[in-house]
Amino acid sequence: MGDMDHLELRTEADTILAELVGDPGGSARLREDQWQAVAALVEERRRALVVQRTGWGKSAVYFVATALLRRRGAGPTVIISPLLALMRNQVESAARAGIQARTINSANPEEWETIYGEVERGETDVLLVSPERLNSVDFRDQVLPRLAATTGLLVVDEAHCISDWGHDFRPDYRRLRAMLAELPAGVPVLATTATANARVTADVAEQLGTGTGEALVLRGRLDRESLRLGVVQLPDAAHRLAWLAEHLDDLPGSGIVYTLTVAAAEEATAFLRQRGFKVASYTGKTENADRLQAEVDLKENRVKALVATSALGMGYDKPDLGFVVHLGSPSSPIAYYQQVGRAGRGVAHADVLLLPGREDEAIWRYFADTAFPPETQVRQTLAALTEAGRPLSVPALEAAVDLRRSRLESMLKVLDVDGAVKRVKGGWTATGAEWVYEADRYAWVAKQRAAEQQAMRDYASTSQCRMEFLRRQLDDEGAVPCGRCDNCAGAWADSAVSAEVLTGAAKELDRPGVEVEPRRMWPTGMPALGIDLKGRIPAKEQCATGRALGRLSDIGWGNRLRPLLAETAPDGPVPDDVLRAAVAVLADWARSPGGWASNTPDAAPRPVGVVAVPSLSRPQLVGSLAQGIAAVGRLPFLGTLTYTEPDGAHAARRSNSAQRLRALSGAFSVPEGVAGASGPVLLVDDYTDSGWTLAVAARLLRQAGSEQVLPLVLAAAG
């Protein structure tokens, strides 16, 4: 292309950009670094990896490139993007430039066939695809080859997810290797990320360039000149919640308050609303319609903040977001950089504050069950698939492999990419291909996770520039002191909280009581284990919806219960404050609609006694809890269920449902003093995770004559 053609292309690109930003005929121009990426894709048809800070304008590059390529007869652009929020924002942005964009994701399956037809007829310019679609058998075998043959530009958004060296590796992304290999010669590829250190950058670039020569890497400075970073050290969760209520109005504009868990997001949202703030909760448990409304409310400044987990992540785009506060520290500085990068994209100044907590590391450990499984379990899975001689579903595999479902699914996706298993109609099959367990690689990744956690401890305590610290974690060679953060320019966030607000926060966090839903279906595959249980649990054998003081993942009672229930904690009588809280939960339960003390026509019968679940590790704790509740409630303590295997052979913590139920099947018996209690009974235990201990114990009690079983535990998982 000659100089004149090059200049004309640049002019055309700038015109498209002006339409994208909603200012047709305006003065918007691509920056030189953006134009370099566009030219590489359109003029040179190259494969490029762009590593640039959040807010740099990566979407402008691929939408401008799409418009230019489409005008020159290229097929539609396919964008692999992990978050629905990003997809919604980008569809709206593309429409301004006359670019027809459609999405394929789990929220719109009823539209898929229509969209595929539009793509084939050339009516769609951009198809945004969620990465989990890449692991769908139908999509992979039928749709993906057609897309690879017709696409004019492939875009991989958040490309660090491709690399298992990265902080956010996602097995679904590994499917892209196959699509990259099948693209016709001359089809440009753009991979983008803001969170790739040197090792991840090299890994992704290598995968991009496979079979086509070296990929072009365009890496920019990762400073965010608009952000002012700070850390506020506070003694406990009540102080942090009180600080938030005291200082939220002082923060500029509207923003995001990130928490580490769903429970913490719900606690903080409830308290802030009590204090009169317009806030909304945004978590993985939030209904899709409510998420959409929350995104719009924040974008239009109808709320002061969204209180969110990482579910509000990479894709949300609000240029004038004024602040990001973390109520608890993420476990990775790279993930932290990514989340704080939501703020200050379109404003000159934005505030970023971290409020670390002593419970952060316990929460990191709780959610750390993501490492690739040991080789014995992987081989066990491959053997089970081979011996079956037919496809096995994940629930069916749970009966053969002692892995929690999420970890089993993740492992199968990796094995699928490695060619050892294949996803087919009806489940998974083994391919018989030789497979090597890369122990050194998995160990290195685990070591990297530990190093990231240490880096976050260091970030919270460093006296050096905080932005420079984050940039060095991302191997940004241009990292220098920012001159803006609390270490460079002096502390700018007041840590004081008033006694009145602190009292209110402590009261909110001290309020005990969450519901514990019962198990209603037996796991798949139990007959294959010699246990004749399948389908729905009969209503006459189920337990009722129970109660717990709190969840181990919350910042209220979770903080009190985690040390009490830790594996290394000594056994002993239930602490007085915990017993009082359990009694309060029981009293609230009794007075709730339909409760035995509700004085309503549908009031349930009063419990006739208390039964304890036996415990090998904490017999004093559980026993004293059950007897204390019986004494305060003036109920007879009927006794404790008996272990049929006192050596603990039944124990199977944090395994999948089938394995847990197999371990518990036949583990208990009902002693004579407990059998025959004809009315409802309270069933007391210390902790429930899978719910199967309560389900098995309740079934035995109901078979022994109990009219109903009401579980009461100290802590619930999640």
Side-chain angles (χ1 to χ4, degrees):
M1 180 177 286
D3 291 343
M4 185 61 67
D5 292 336
H6 184 81
L7 290 173
E8 289 176 356
L9 185 68
R10 175 66 191 267
T11 300
E12 187 180 356
D14 288 337
T15 301
I16 294 168
L17 177 67
E19 294 170 348
L20 273 173
V21 300
D23 186 25
S27 59
R29 285 177 57 83
L30 291 166
R31 296 189 309 275
E32 283 306 313
D33 49 3
Q34 292 175 312
W35 167 242
Q36 185 181 3
V38 170
L41 297 171
V42 178
E43 287 186 328
E44 303 174 43
R45 306 296 174 102
R46 293 197 64 175
R47 295 187 175 188
L49 170 60
V50 171
V51 183
Q52 292 282 2
R53 67 187 186 280
T54 51
W56 173 82
K58 294 181 284 290
S59 61
V61 169
Y62 49 72
F63 279 133
V64 169
T66 293
L68 292 172
L69 288 166
R70 290 288 280 167
R71 292 177 183 182
R72 286 152 181 79
T77 291
V78 175
I79 302 176
I80 309 298
S81 180
L83 291 178
L84 299 183
L86 178 67
M87 293 183 180
R88 288 189 286 269
N89 291 338
Q90 291 185 339
V91 168
E92 295 168 4
S93 176
R96 288 196 293 265
I99 298 171
Q100 290 294 112
R102 301 297 302 270
T103 70
I104 295 290
N105 58 71
S106 57
N108 67 342
E110 69 284 351
E111 299 177 13
W112 292 354
E113 286 304 318
T114 300
I115 293 171
Y116 294 151
E118 292 174 356
V119 172
E120 289 187 353
R121 292 191 300 271
E123 297 169 3
T124 293
D125 301 307
V126 174
L127 179 65
L128 293 111
V129 180
S130 58
E132 70 268 14
R133 287 296 92 218
L134 301 175
N135 205 42
S136 160
V137 176
D138 286 342
F139 188 87
R140 185 185 68 202
D141 294 344
Q142 299 178 27
V143 180
L144 202 58
R146 298 205 305 268
L147 290 179
T150 60
T151 187
L153 169 65
L154 174 64
V155 177
V156 183
D157 209 12
E158 306 302 339
H160 60 272
C161 297
I162 294 175
S163 174
D164 56 7
W165 305 111
H167 78 282
D168 196 23
F169 166 64
R170 303 186 185 193
D172 289 321
Y173 263 71
R174 296 286 291 274
R175 283 271 159 225
L176 288 166
R177 286 183 174 180
M179 187 170 181
L180 287 167
E182 293 170 5
L183 287 175
V187 174
V189 177
L190 173 66
T192 71
T193 181
T195 51
N197 59 20
R199 181 154 199 165
V200 173
T201 298
D203 187 26
V204 174
E206 181 182 358
Q207 294 186 47
L208 284 180
T210 301
T212 66
E214 186 175 351
L216 174 67
V217 177
L218 301 173
R219 187 180 179 99
R221 294 170 58 251
L222 298 180
D223 190 17
R224 294 293 310 277
E225 293 87 350
S226 62
L227 299 187
R228 179 171 63 159
L229 305 181
V231 174
V232 181
Q233 298 283 358
L234 295 163
D236 54 37
H239 276 82
R240 293 197 305 281
L241 204 55
W243 184 95
L244 195 57
E246 198 95 276
H247 297 279
L248 191 58
D249 268 338
D250 299 333
L251 296 171
S254 56
I256 301 170
V257 176
Y258 276 110
T259 67
L260 299 186
T261 68
V262 172
E266 293 172 349
E267 286 173 316
T269 301
F271 179 65
L272 291 173
R273 284 177 172 171
Q274 286 177 17
R275 305 297 303 186
F277 289 101
K278 291 184 178 180
V279 296
S281 180
Y282 190 110
T283 74
K285 291 186 178 179
T286 306
E287 293 291 337
N288 189 55
D290 293 333
R291 282 197 194 193
L292 283 169
Q293 187 60 55
E295 290 171 16
V296 172
D297 286 346
L298 181 61
K299 184 164 289 188
E300 298 184 2
N301 298 313
R302 291 198 291 260
V303 294
K304 179 64 177 178
L306 295 188
V307 185
T309 63
S310 58
L312 183 66
M314 293 177 280
Y316 187 73
D317 183 23
K318 175 179 166 61
D320 62 341
L321 198 76
F323 65 88
V324 169
V325 175
H326 277 77
L327 201 63
S329 176
S331 61
S332 161
I334 303 174
Y336 183 65
Y337 173 87
Q338 187 180 68
Q339 289 178 347
V340 303
R342 304 271 70 76
R345 293 181 171 189
V347 291
H349 303 288
D351 287 345
V352 170
L353 285 168
L354 172 66
L355 279 57
R358 286 182 295 178
E359 74 274 9
D360 295 348
E361 296 193 29
I363 294 173
W364 296 348
R365 288 192 296 272
Y366 184 79
F367 289 111
D369 191 18
T370 57
F372 197 70
E375 185 171 6
T376 52
Q377 290 180 312
V378 183
R379 298 292 179 193
Q380 187 180 14
T381 305
L382 293 173
L385 291 172
T386 300
E387 292 166 7
R390 58 181 175 81
L392 291 181
S393 65
V394 170
L397 268 174
E398 286 181 319
V401 184
D402 192 4
L403 284 172
R404 292 174 76 86
R405 180 168 297 186
S406 59
R407 201 171 175 201
L408 177 58
E409 289 175 334
S410 180
M411 181 190 73
L412 287 167
K413 290 176 182 178
V414 173
L415 292 175
D416 193 0
V417 172
D418 290 346
V421 303
K422 185 177 182 181
R423 190 168 189 170
V424 297
K425 288 285 189 180
W428 297 85
T429 61
T431 64
E434 184 178 351
W435 181 79
V436 177
Y437 187 87
E438 297 184 80
D440 291 345
R441 186 179 184 88
Y442 305 138
W444 196 96
V445 171
K447 183 178 179 181
Q448 184 185 38
R449 300 292 180 265
E452 289 175 349
Q453 293 180 3
Q454 183 57 49
M456 280 310 298
R457 298 184 194 101
D458 295 341
Y459 174 83
S461 61
T462 186
S463 59
Q464 304 302 310
C465 173
R466 298 195 194 277
M467 180 58 79
E468 181 183 13
F469 183 98
L470 293 178
R471 291 174 67 186
R472 291 196 185 282
Q473 289 295 313
L474 284 154
D475 296 324
D476 185 353
E477 294 179 357
V480 294
C482 69
R484 305 178 302 274
C485 71
D486 55 354
N487 287 337
C488 286
W492 48 271
D494 185 359
S495 62
V497 295
S498 69
E500 182 268 330
V501 179
L502 180 59
T503 299
K507 184 177 180 180
E508 174 66 24
L509 294 178
D510 284 345
R511 183 178 294 116
V514 295
E515 288 192 348
V516 176
E517 288 295 323
R519 286 288 188 172
R520 304 191 191 279
M521 298 288 293
W522 297 117
T524 300
M526 298 311 298
L529 296 174
I531 300 171
D532 189 21
L533 296 173
K534 59 183 178 180
R536 179 171 292 278
I537 302 174
K540 63 183 180 181
E541 295 182 358
Q542 292 182 18
C543 63
T545 298
R547 297 293 189 277
L549 266 68
R551 303 180 185 92
L552 286 185
S553 60
D554 68 32
I555 58 174
W557 271 98
N559 283 352
R560 178 70 177 91
L561 295 170
R562 276 190 297 271
L564 185 65
L565 301 180
E567 289 185 9
T568 56
D571 187 26
V574 62
D576 290 343
D577 64 324
V578 176
L579 177 58
R580 286 195 298 271
V583 171
V585 170
L586 189 61
D588 286 344
W589 191 3
R591 291 191 294 266
S592 64
W596 56 93
S598 60
N599 295 321
T600 58
D602 62 342
R606 175 179 166 82
V608 299
V610 179
V611 177
V613 175
S615 174
L616 291 174
S617 58
R618 289 183 283 269
Q620 291 185 64
L621 178 66
V622 178
S624 61
L625 173 64
Q627 293 179 50
I629 286 172
V632 175
R634 298 179 181 179
L635 296 168
F637 177 63
L638 301 177
T640 302
L641 298 178
T642 303
Y643 277 134
T644 57
E645 299 180 47
D647 61 353
H650 71 282
R653 302 285 276 193
R654 290 186 70 80
S655 56
N656 64 53
S657 289
Q659 297 296 326
R660 181 68 176 141
L661 184 57
R662 179 173 70 167
L664 289 166
S665 180
F668 305 130
S669 62
V670 181
E672 186 175 337
V674 176
S678 58
V681 297
L682 287 172
L683 179 64
V684 175
D685 202 358
D686 55 352
Y687 172 70
T688 182
D689 181 2
S690 66
W692 288 115
T693 297
L694 297 177
V696 168
R699 180 172 183 256
L700 288 174
L701 288 168
R702 298 207 60 182
Q703 289 175 337
S706 297
E707 179 182 320
Q708 184 59 281
V709 176
L710 308 166
L712 178 67
V713 300
L714 295 181

Short mmCIF file of all heavy atoms in Angstrom, two decimals, residues 560 564 572-581 621 624 714:
data_model
loop_
_atom_site.label_atom_id
_atom_site.label_comp_id
_atom_site.label_asym_id
_atom_site.label_seq_id
_atom_site.Cartn_x
_atom_site.Cartn_y
_atom_site.Cartn_z
N ARG A 560 -16.01 -14.98 63.17
CA ARG A 560 -16.02 -15.60 64.50
C ARG A 560 -15.95 -17.11 64.40
O ARG A 560 -15.33 -17.78 65.25
CB ARG A 560 -17.31 -15.18 65.24
CG ARG A 560 -17.48 -15.80 66.62
CD ARG A 560 -16.48 -15.22 67.59
NE ARG A 560 -16.67 -15.75 68.93
CZ ARG A 560 -16.05 -16.83 69.41
NH1 ARG A 560 -15.20 -17.49 68.63
NH2 ARG A 560 -16.26 -17.23 70.64
N LEU A 564 -12.96 -21.00 65.12
CA LEU A 564 -13.57 -22.02 65.98
C LEU A 564 -13.63 -23.37 65.29
O LEU A 564 -13.48 -24.42 65.93
CB LEU A 564 -14.97 -21.56 66.39
CG LEU A 564 -15.74 -22.43 67.40
CD1 LEU A 564 -15.04 -22.43 68.75
CD2 LEU A 564 -17.18 -21.92 67.54
N GLY A 572 -13.58 -28.08 72.46
CA GLY A 572 -13.93 -27.58 73.77
C GLY A 572 -15.39 -27.21 73.80
O GLY A 572 -16.08 -27.23 72.77
N PRO A 573 -15.92 -26.84 74.96
CA PRO A 573 -17.33 -26.46 75.07
C PRO A 573 -17.64 -25.26 74.18
O PRO A 573 -16.78 -24.42 73.92
CB PRO A 573 -17.50 -26.11 76.55
CG PRO A 573 -16.37 -26.79 77.24
CD PRO A 573 -15.24 -26.80 76.26
N VAL A 574 -18.87 -25.16 73.75
CA VAL A 574 -19.27 -24.05 72.90
C VAL A 574 -19.10 -22.74 73.67
O VAL A 574 -19.50 -22.63 74.83
CB VAL A 574 -20.73 -24.22 72.41
CG1 VAL A 574 -21.72 -24.25 73.56
CG2 VAL A 574 -21.09 -23.14 71.40
N PRO A 575 -18.47 -21.73 73.08
CA PRO A 575 -18.33 -20.43 73.76
C PRO A 575 -19.70 -19.83 74.08
O PRO A 575 -20.68 -20.02 73.34
CB PRO A 575 -17.57 -19.58 72.74
CG PRO A 575 -16.84 -20.58 71.88
CD PRO A 575 -17.75 -21.76 71.79
N ASP A 576 -19.77 -19.08 75.17
CA ASP A 576 -21.04 -18.53 75.62
C ASP A 576 -21.69 -17.64 74.57
O ASP A 576 -22.91 -17.69 74.37
CB ASP A 576 -20.84 -17.73 76.91
CG ASP A 576 -20.51 -18.63 78.10
OD1 ASP A 576 -20.77 -19.84 78.01
OD2 ASP A 576 -20.00 -18.11 79.12
N ASP A 577 -20.86 -16.79 73.88
CA ASP A 577 -21.46 -15.88 72.90
C ASP A 577 -22.03 -16.64 71.71
O ASP A 577 -23.05 -16.25 71.14
CB ASP A 577 -20.44 -14.84 72.44
CG ASP A 577 -19.26 -15.45 71.71
OD1 ASP A 577 -18.82 -16.56 72.08
OD2 ASP A 577 -18.74 -14.81 70.75
N VAL A 578 -21.37 -17.74 71.35
CA VAL A 578 -21.87 -18.55 70.24
C VAL A 578 -23.17 -19.25 70.63
O VAL A 578 -24.12 -19.32 69.84
CB VAL A 578 -20.80 -19.57 69.81
CG1 VAL A 578 -21.34 -20.49 68.72
CG2 VAL A 578 -19.55 -18.84 69.31
N LEU A 579 -23.22 -19.76 71.85
CA LEU A 579 -24.45 -20.41 72.31
C LEU A 579 -25.60 -19.41 72.35
O LEU A 579 -26.72 -19.70 71.92
CB LEU A 579 -24.24 -21.03 73.69
CG LEU A 579 -25.49 -21.69 74.31
CD1 LEU A 579 -26.03 -22.80 73.40
CD2 LEU A 579 -25.15 -22.25 75.70
N ARG A 580 -25.33 -18.20 72.86
CA ARG A 580 -26.39 -17.18 72.91
C ARG A 580 -26.89 -16.86 71.50
O ARG A 580 -28.10 -16.69 71.28
CB ARG A 580 -25.87 -15.91 73.58
CG ARG A 580 -25.71 -16.01 75.08
CD ARG A 580 -25.53 -14.63 75.70
NE ARG A 580 -24.34 -13.96 75.23
CZ ARG A 580 -23.13 -14.08 75.79
NH1 ARG A 580 -22.97 -14.87 76.85
NH2 ARG A 580 -22.09 -13.43 75.31
N ALA A 581 -25.97 -16.78 70.54
CA ALA A 581 -26.37 -16.49 69.16
C ALA A 581 -27.21 -17.63 68.59
O ALA A 581 -28.20 -17.39 67.87
CB ALA A 581 -25.14 -16.25 68.30
N LEU A 621 -17.65 -29.62 71.40
CA LEU A 621 -18.32 -28.46 70.84
C LEU A 621 -19.75 -28.79 70.46
O LEU A 621 -20.70 -28.10 70.85
CB LEU A 621 -17.55 -27.96 69.61
CG LEU A 621 -18.15 -26.76 68.88
CD1 LEU A 621 -18.12 -25.51 69.75
CD2 LEU A 621 -17.43 -26.50 67.56
N SER A 624 -21.94 -29.93 73.65
CA SER A 624 -22.32 -28.83 74.54
C SER A 624 -23.29 -27.87 73.86
O SER A 624 -24.17 -27.29 74.50
CB SER A 624 -21.08 -28.08 75.02
OG SER A 624 -20.37 -27.52 73.91
N LEU A 714 -23.84 -24.38 63.39
CA LEU A 714 -23.13 -23.13 63.63
C LEU A 714 -22.81 -22.43 62.32
O LEU A 714 -23.01 -21.22 62.19
CB LEU A 714 -21.83 -23.40 64.40
CG LEU A 714 -21.99 -23.94 65.83
CD1 LEU A 714 -20.61 -24.13 66.45
CD2 LEU A 714 -22.83 -22.99 66.67
#
